[in-house]
Amino acid sequence: VTTLDVNFQDIVESALREKVIQTNANYGTAIVMEIATGEIKALANLSRRTRNDETEYLEDMNYAVLASTDPGSTFKLASMMAILEKGNMKLNDWAANCTGTIMHRGKKFTCDHEHGNINVGQVFEKSCNIGVYKLIEKVFGANGIDDYLGYISNYRLDKPIGFQLKGEKNPYFKNAKDKTYSQFTLPWMSIGYESAIAPIQMLAFYNAVANNGYWVEPFLVREIKEGNTQVDNYDNVKIGKRLASADVIEMAQAMMKGVVTDGTAQGISKGFCQVAGKTGTAQKLDKNGYSKGRYFTSFIGYFPADNPKYTATIVIDEPRGDQVYAASVCAPVFRDIADKIFAYDVAIHP
């Protein structure tokens, strides 16, 4: 007996398929999870395959669990929470003057826009790489990788969740002893590079933030029956201690709402219910390094924003055409799913 809701599953599969086909992407995956219980309500995957010069779309791999990649800007939530916690900072504190490019030990560190003078909250809302860099440098110092990773561990991001479907890998984060560690590791890791984590693992972290800091294990199988006889049932793990202080969790929630009202996801601000979340657009890694123009896009968030019941993640790999950034690829899929689930689940209506 699974936790899936067939109506949610239909909503999620349809929305994901439409965007994967529209953008001619390599693949897409989407998950919807009930915040308080950890129940997976929908889980969809779709691959684009070419055979005999014909393109077809099929579900042949569970990317939600198996696709461990650089998370990109969705990882900035963890970095910002660590900054707020260790630096004892507030959202309206001045953060940086973003000029679009700075030099880090002789190498360019760039941002997609020149954001000018921005505060801590705006760094996250506008997904400012230079703002995150400056704050990490200020709070953790140039060699603060192990201290920083202590917070990542507190947020349970370095641990597998123990998901019931096979194939989950351990998340990967470099430390100072890693043979590929360099002076560039911490700045790049803080904005979602030089690491690897699966979509369902990132979703569990965001779900904890939506759940006022309390981590809940995602699960898919509720019980096993033989006829009408229950053979086994599953009680998932719930952690009774917050991942971070109540103040930091509250600020994290405010920042995610700000992404939709004033930041990179303003395009999905209007709909049946208010949503909160974070866009992520990561350059893909190939043999020549990170490749500009080829992106791994994602959006992770929750809804309704003021009294959340569901979290969801959307991941679409290498979209092509006019739409290649998460704000125009994954965020609209999230809004479509949120609106339809909100319309269907009358229990969450005001």
Side-chain angles (χ1 to χ4, degrees):
V1 179
T2 75
T3 60
L4 295 174
D5 182 302
V6 291
N7 295 292
F8 287 24
Q9 185 72 19
D10 186 47
I11 288 166
V12 170
E13 283 186 8
S14 298
L16 183 68
R17 176 177 286 272
E18 183 180 349
K19 187 59 77 170
V20 169
I21 293 173
Q22 179 192 340
T23 59
N24 199 26
N26 290 346
Y27 70 79
T29 184
I31 316 165
V32 174
M33 175 173 165
E34 191 171 68
I35 293 169
T37 64
E39 292 187 359
I40 300 296
K41 292 298 184 184
L43 193 158
N45 297 279
L46 196 66
S47 307
R48 178 174 57 85
R49 301 290 185 223
T50 303
R51 296 174 186 173
N52 301 322
D53 294 327
E54 289 189 6
T55 299
E56 59 181 342
Y57 295 88
L58 61 154
E59 186 165 10
D60 63 353
M61 180 174 170
N62 188 3
Y63 298 102
V65 179
L66 301 175
S68 289
T69 64
D70 289 314
S73 292
T74 55
F75 198 74
K76 288 174 182 171
L77 179 62
S79 294
M80 294 302 294
M81 284 171 58
I83 288 163
L84 290 167
E85 201 153 16
K86 181 174 173 63
N88 194 27
M89 303 187 82
K90 303 299 179 191
L91 297 186
N92 57 3
D93 289 347
W94 182 82
N97 178 21
C98 172
T99 57
T101 304
I102 57 171
M103 299 302 293
H104 173 74
R105 303 190 182 185
K107 190 173 181 179
K108 275 187 179 180
F109 192 86
T110 62
C111 201
D112 282 340
H113 298 87
E114 292 183 24
H115 294 115
N117 283 302
I118 51 175
N119 63 32
V120 172
Q122 290 169 330
V123 166
F124 185 78
E125 292 169 5
K126 300 181 185 304
S127 203
C128 178
N129 292 344
I130 288 174
V132 176
Y133 169 91
K134 288 287 191 182
L135 289 169
I136 286 285
E137 186 179 54
K138 177 180 179 180
V139 173
F140 288 96
N143 300 310
I145 185 74
D146 291 328
D147 194 7
Y148 171 80
L149 288 174
Y151 286 90
I152 301 307
S153 184
N154 290 344
Y155 304 153
R156 300 184 64 86
L157 282 161
D158 62 341
K159 304 168 183 68
I161 60 175
F163 194 59
Q164 293 167 320
L165 297 180
K166 288 184 177 179
E168 184 189 5
K169 300 169 186 167
N170 288 333
Y172 168 66
F173 298 99
K174 291 181 186 179
N175 58 31
K177 296 177 182 176
D178 197 295
K179 63 182 180 181
T180 59
Y181 173 79
S182 74
Q183 59 191 4
F184 304 106
T185 297
L186 181 54
W188 279 91
M189 187 185 289
S190 69
I191 62 169
Y193 290 96
E194 298 207 20
S195 52
I197 191 165
I200 197 156
Q201 293 164 343
M202 281 297 294
L203 180 64
F205 168 61
Y206 271 73
N207 191 83
V209 175
N211 197 32
N212 293 321
Y214 296 102
W215 191 88
V216 177
E217 178 191 354
F219 74 111
L220 184 69
V221 177
R222 185 182 289 117
E223 58 180 329
I224 298 170
K225 284 185 170 183
E226 196 172 290
N228 291 325
T229 305
Q230 187 185 75
V231 177
D232 201 3
N233 71 314
Y234 190 74
D235 291 322
N236 64 327
V237 177
K238 296 181 175 72
I239 306 298
K241 182 182 176 184
R242 281 192 173 99
L243 299 186
S245 69
D247 285 349
V248 167
I249 294 296
E250 191 175 314
M251 286 188 282
Q253 292 172 344
M255 287 192 299
M256 282 200 280
K257 290 176 185 175
V259 168
V260 177
T261 57
D262 301 300
T264 57
Q266 287 182 74
I268 63 166
S269 60
K270 290 181 172 58
F272 291 160
C273 66
Q274 188 184 1
V275 300
K278 180 73 183 77
T279 54
T281 303
Q283 292 178 24
K284 293 186 69 175
L285 186 64
D286 57 29
K287 63 182 180 182
N288 298 315
Y290 287 104
S291 174
K292 195 168 179 64
R294 296 174 61 238
Y295 300 110
F296 183 82
T297 65
S298 58
F299 187 92
I300 314 179
Y302 60 86
F303 61 94
D306 291 328
N307 188 23
K309 186 174 181 182
Y310 301 106
T311 45
T313 182
I314 318 298
V315 173
I316 294 179
D317 178 59
E318 204 171 326
R320 297 167 178 87
D322 297 335
Q323 299 176 350
V324 294
Y325 296 107
S328 57
V329 177
C330 296
V333 178
F334 180 91
R335 167 50 81 184
D336 188 22
I337 290 169
D339 279 350
K340 286 174 179 171
I341 288 178
F342 182 82
Y344 172 77
D345 186 358
V346 295
I348 58 176
H349 291 194

